[in-house]
Amino acid sequence: MEQKLQKQPKIFSKVPPEEYFVSGHRGCVGCGEALAVRLVCKALGPNVIIANATGCMEVVSSQLPNTAWGVPWIHTLFENTAAVASGIECGLKVLRKKGRYSNENTIVAAMAGDGGTADIGMQALSGALERGHRFVYICFDNEAYMNTGIQRSSTTPFGASTTTSPAGKKSIGQLTWKKDLPSIAIAHNIPYVATASPSYPFDLINKVKKATTMKGPSYLHVFSVCPTGWRSAPELAIELGRLAVKTGIFPLYEVENGVYKINHEPSKLDPVKDYLKLQGRFRHLSDDTIKEIEKRVNSNFIELKRKMMCDDMRVV
Amino acid sequence: MAQKIGMEVSIALGEAAKLANTDVIAAYPITPQTHIVEHIADMVANGEMDAEFITVESEHSAMSACLGSAAVGARTFTATAGQGLELMHEVLYVASALRFPIVMTVANRALSGPLNIWGDHSDVMATRDCGWIQFFVENGQEAFDLTLCAFRIAEDPTVMLPTMLSLDGFHLTHVVEPITLIEKSDVDKFIPPLKHPFALRPDKPVTMGAFAPPFIYTETKKIADEALRSSKKVIVSVWDEFGKRFGRHYNPVETYRTEDAKTLLLTMGSYSETAMVAIDNMRTKGEKVGLIHLRLWRPFPFAELKQTTENADNLFVLDRCISLGGPGGPVCSEIKAAFYDSQKKPSIIGFIGGLGGRDMTPGDFEYMTKRGKEIIQHGTKNEVEMIGVKE
């Protein structure tokens, strides 16, 4: 199996001390996404150019005349971040070829939220993945349009109450199941797709590092707890990220050149209720609905394990 | 100097992009622009052009990829038309706000619905206020020449603005015209290498595209407006220099037989040449008519326009676009506004014609002249006058 995989980068067991996304930004207290961005930036290091979609991270970090970014960074619009990154990558490539840019290892990274990735930015993302640009796309998924006031997106989980999928007498909130973005990325046959969470910082950092070594596009889907939108206690942001993994709601896995690997496999999944009960957005759910969610989560996890086992058998 | 050769205008535009040492092209197929980027793709594939061609999945992504490549300091070109320009719409404003010297040719096309791939100016008129420098060209030679000038103007350190060159879809893009190309070495002398003062570089990090709350947004627009207005002197000086180097002269506003003309027609784009034929016909009948051809659309050449109409009584403006439910055509509205404060001004009548590829013949321009005089005599000015409409 090892021969199939690319050479593994150095495994980080310490968080790099340098800061590239610095304090002073306007993120909410307990923002899981700001922590995730900070860790991702530490992993990317200084030799990077970042294209950032419109959304929470852009708004909290860039109000004129201030910036929280210690690396070259550009924000243009909401839905076009993968396309902007395509232009950056090709621009650097041609400048290198013509001897006008000598830095060989500059990483091109794109960052967007779940709305900017799964909904309005889906087309630009798909185009960029298909064209094979060498860049790292990172989706910070806080499961709704938080910047505009907690409206549902296609990654909002089933049963979550948002301002456009409110729970009411005739609705349990979001009536659709979360769009599976990593699988959509995998379908583009790109070298590397992974899920990660700032609640597992070393796993996150190492996945970012690995993504930067790929010769083509890589896609990271990063779980980003939003205390404001999820109506959870700010001090529980890390705990919720861990519970999401332990319950199987957000499994940590990676797909390298088509080969699945689950990075954190609980021997037994915790009840989803442990995760749901800490969040106001799920407060209205009945035990029956929670059971339905649990059934779906378990079935998804079994499917993921099946994919991994199939790969193991294939490699053997 | 190279020989004059028969060439499709779209091919000449591709050649201009190659001669200008374009680094990155990001484009999406749309008629009638496709021949431009197909030719560029061919030249890249054959190694004749050292550039990256990004085959994006939409025009929105085309202009977005252009933002990315311009942000790292690569010379960037794209082309589009009609619906494609509309899909780019919001991205156009970002290109100008970030002062990216992107050059784009627009093969002017009507807008859906109903679907129509043929030429008119509805597409570009909808982008009037996007902060780009905008020209309209009259023929293939001008399209080639002004594409080269567009790079030089856009990248001037005192300008740094995206530049859009409009040419009529099919009537210009798909015709074979005698065109004189320019030697590569001469183009290299005319267009120096691009030096972006704030390109994205890891060794000198900058933040681009920070958001602006009410306390500072107005100031950003003031700066953008001043930048676009003051680009006019660079545009004029680059066109002058081009004329001195290559013998073909261009001005923001051109005139034809206007010296003693009491009635002036005003056109933009390729219909100017058709209108000239009409002017000649009417002159032989003894009518004192002339033509104004508006080449520079943004920044709007207020002073130059007024100079050309000093002795005229009538000014009849042709729009290839209609502002539905509004004051007629957008060009005529602007011309009227430009003269509003003038002590002496001609009577201005707007006409709409040539929509969606409908031909305007010399006879149509003669009709326009006759009808304009009639309207002035009878004082029925308010209706929208459409030429050649089947009632």
Side-chain angles (χ1 to χ4, degrees):
Chain A
M1 182 174 178
E2 281 71 21
Q3 282 80 25
K4 250 190 89 67
L5 301 178
Q6 293 192 13
K7 195 179 162 210
Q8 296 295 314
K10 186 179 156 196
I11 301 296
F12 279 75
S13 54
K14 270 204 311 200
V15 176
E18 295 82 6
E19 299 288 358
Y20 304 105
F21 179 74
V22 302
S23 59
H25 61 72
R26 296 168 171 80
C28 303
V29 177
C31 175
E33 186 172 338
L35 176 62
V37 170
R38 181 177 166 219
L39 291 168
V40 166
C41 285
K42 282 168 177 283
L44 291 170
N47 192 5
V48 67
I49 295 175
I50 295 174
N52 201 146
T54 306
C56 280
M57 279 310 105
E58 169 259 328
V59 168
V60 304
S61 66
S62 80
Q63 180 176 312
L64 276 171
N66 302 314
T67 182
W69 299 92
V71 286
W73 179 91
I74 180 169
H75 157 254
T76 66
L77 293 163
F78 195 5
E79 69 275 53
N80 65 347
T81 310
V84 174
S86 305
I88 293 172
E89 192 251 4
C90 284
L92 292 180
K93 196 195 279 182
V94 71
L95 292 182
R96 275 191 204 106
K97 202 165 64 176
K98 293 183 175 180
R100 283 151 58 199
Y101 185 70
S102 54
N103 194 328
E104 282 299 317
N105 302 312
T106 303
I107 297 159
V108 178
M111 296 183 178
D114 47 292
T117 304
D119 295 344
I120 200 166
M122 183 93 249
Q123 176 180 315
L125 173 64
S126 177
L129 296 182
E130 171 272 320
R131 290 190 299 271
H133 298 282
R134 187 175 178 182
F135 79 121
V136 185
Y137 189 101
I138 305 138
C139 170
F140 297 96
D141 182 6
N142 56 19
E143 303 191 322
Y145 292 87
M146 299 313 184
N147 189 40
T148 43
I150 323 168
Q151 293 84 18
R152 63 86 73 183
S153 77
S154 62
T155 71
T156 299
F158 181 81
S161 184
T162 72
T163 55
T164 53
S165 65
K169 283 180 188 159
K170 292 191 173 177
S171 176
I172 58 151
Q174 176 90 337
L175 296 169
T176 52
W177 296 93
K178 186 180 175 79
K179 189 189 269 185
D180 183 1
L181 267 173
S183 290
I184 293 171
I186 291 161
H188 288 77
N189 293 315
I190 58 175
Y192 189 65
V193 175
T195 65
S197 165
S199 298
Y200 295 82
F202 299 115
D203 180 72
L204 170 62
I205 288 173
N206 284 306
K207 282 173 173 166
V208 175
K209 284 275 177 197
K210 190 187 271 188
T212 64
T213 65
M214 299 295 154
K215 300 292 180 210
S218 46
Y219 175 84
L220 294 177
H221 196 88
V222 178
F223 194 72
S224 302
V225 175
C226 175
T228 309
W230 297 6
R231 284 175 282 140
S232 57
E235 64 273 21
L236 292 182
I238 302 297
E239 179 62 18
L240 277 172
R242 290 193 167 260
L243 284 169
V245 173
K246 288 178 187 168
T247 55
I249 280 176
F250 190 87
L252 295 180
Y253 67 98
E254 62 189 339
V255 184
E256 194 174 342
N257 296 314
V259 179
Y260 281 74
K261 182 181 174 187
I262 299 177
N263 307 104
H264 186 92
E265 193 178 344
S267 50
K268 185 175 173 299
L269 296 180
D270 285 355
V272 294
K273 196 169 186 173
D274 292 0
Y275 170 77
L276 302 177
K277 71 183 180 192
L278 298 173
Q279 302 172 56
R281 62 177 174 158
F282 296 120
R283 188 178 295 143
H284 56 282
L285 295 183
S286 67
D287 284 345
D288 283 349
T289 309
I290 291 173
K291 262 189 205 148
E292 196 185 343
I293 293 172
E294 191 155 72
K295 201 174 146 198
R296 178 94 173 200
V297 166
N298 289 340
S299 135
N300 285 351
F301 199 74
I302 289 165
E303 175 61 18
L304 182 63
K305 286 211 287 191
R306 188 191 64 76
K307 284 177 183 164
M308 188 180 74
M309 284 189 292
C310 287
D311 282 337
D312 286 349
M313 283 161 61
R314 193 176 68 187
V315 172
V316 171
Chain B
M1 185 72 68
Q3 292 296 305
K4 197 171 266 198
I5 42 175
M7 179 180 271
E8 188 185 315
V9 174
S10 290
I11 304 294
L13 285 171
E15 292 291 327
K18 180 181 79 170
L19 287 164
N21 293 318
T22 302
D23 295 315
V24 174
I25 303 95
Y28 186 78
I30 184 166
T31 305
Q33 161 279 131
T34 35
H35 290 187
I36 304 170
V37 297
E38 283 169 7
H39 184 58
I40 291 174
D42 260 348
M43 292 190 290
V44 172
N46 291 327
E48 295 165 41
M49 186 170 174
D50 194 7
E52 285 286 320
F53 190 129
I54 313 178
T55 50
V56 282
E57 79 299 328
S58 72
E59 288 89 354
H60 195 283
S61 284
M63 187 46 62
S64 298
C66 287
L67 297 182
S69 81
V72 297
R75 184 170 285 160
T76 304
F77 175 83
T78 186
T80 192
Q83 306 304 129
L85 188 65
E86 301 316 297
L87 190 54
M88 283 181 182
H89 194 81
E90 62 161 350
V91 198
L92 299 175
Y93 288 74
V94 181
S96 59
L98 292 176
R99 307 290 291 271
F100 289 155
I102 298 162
V103 172
M104 171 161 68
T105 53
V106 177
N108 298 130
R109 163 177 159 166
L111 294 180
S112 291
L115 188 144
N116 177 299
I117 60 170
W118 293 272
D120 80 18
H121 294 167
S122 306
D123 55 357
V124 69
M125 286 301 156
T127 69
R128 186 187 65 177
D129 299 329
C130 68
W132 285 50
I133 294 170
Q134 300 186 5
F135 329 136
F136 281 75
V137 302
E138 184 177 313
N139 57 43
Q141 185 67 59
E142 185 176 336
F144 172 81
D145 292 347
L146 294 196
T147 301
L148 295 178
C149 291
F151 286 101
R152 172 74 188 275
I153 292 163
E155 295 173 7
D156 186 285
T158 65
V159 176
M160 291 301 283
L161 282 171
T163 301
M164 189 187 295
L165 181 136
S166 280
L167 72 161
D168 290 328
F170 292 109
H171 280 103
L172 275 185
T173 53
H174 284 54
V175 296
V176 174
E177 292 198 359
I179 295 173
T180 304
L181 299 185
I182 298 174
E183 293 295 339
K184 180 79 173 65
S185 53
D186 293 330
V187 175
D188 287 345
K189 279 179 219 148
F190 179 62
I191 309 175
L194 168 60
K195 285 198 182 103
H196 193 297
F198 304 110
L200 293 172
R201 290 284 181 275
D203 56 0
K204 201 179 168 192
V206 291
T207 288
M208 284 185 186
F211 88 97
F215 83 88
I216 201 165
Y217 182 83
T218 307
E219 287 68 23
T220 67
K221 292 295 123 180
K222 172 76 176 161
I223 292 168
D225 185 54
E226 282 183 3
L228 187 53
R229 281 176 201 282
S230 58
S231 71
K232 196 173 78 182
K233 55 183 181 297
V234 176
I235 294 166
V236 170
S237 86
V238 169
W239 287 350
D240 279 351
E241 187 189 326
F242 185 91
K244 282 180 193 135
R245 281 177 184 265
F246 305 112
R248 291 185 293 276
H249 300 270
Y250 298 103
N251 295 297
V253 179
E254 300 286 357
T255 55
Y256 181 72
R257 303 187 79 170
T258 55
E259 313 76 41
D260 59 341
K262 293 295 165 201
T263 296
L264 298 172
L265 306 185
L266 186 145
T267 54
M268 292 164 83
S270 64
Y271 281 170
S272 303
E273 294 191 346
T274 315
M276 285 178 200
V277 176
I279 299 284
D280 290 344
N281 292 344
M282 290 186 280
R283 283 270 177 184
T284 56
K285 293 173 201 159
E287 289 191 62
K288 289 186 172 176
V289 289
L291 177 73
I292 297 174
H293 168 216
L294 195 59
R295 177 173 290 125
L296 182 62
W297 177 236
R298 284 293 182 275
F300 192 87
F302 291 99
E304 293 84 346
L305 177 71
K306 285 180 187 175
Q307 271 172 18
T308 60
T309 59
E310 272 167 357
N311 302 316
D313 298 330
N314 308 320
L315 176 60
F316 303 148
V317 179
L318 177 72
D319 261 286
R320 294 193 71 186
C321 173
I322 180 164
S323 168
L324 297 169
V331 178
C332 189
S333 295
E334 295 224 353
I335 302 288
K336 283 180 179 170
F339 281 102
Y340 182 77
D341 290 328
S342 303
Q343 290 297 318
K344 184 180 180 308
K345 53 192 159 197
S347 300
I348 303 169
I349 311 285
F351 291 85
I352 292 169
L355 297 183
R358 178 78 61 88
D359 263 338
M360 281 282 289
T361 61
D364 290 325
F365 283 101
E366 289 180 45
Y367 164 80
M368 180 175 148
T369 312
K370 184 168 142 253
R371 176 73 189 139
K373 287 179 181 171
E374 255 173 42
I375 293 170
I376 288 169
Q377 274 170 12
H378 299 91
T380 51
K381 273 189 177 182
N382 293 326
E383 58 192 315
V384 172
E385 288 287 327
M386 293 180 83
I387 295 170
V389 68
K390 296 167 189 137
E391 298 285 358

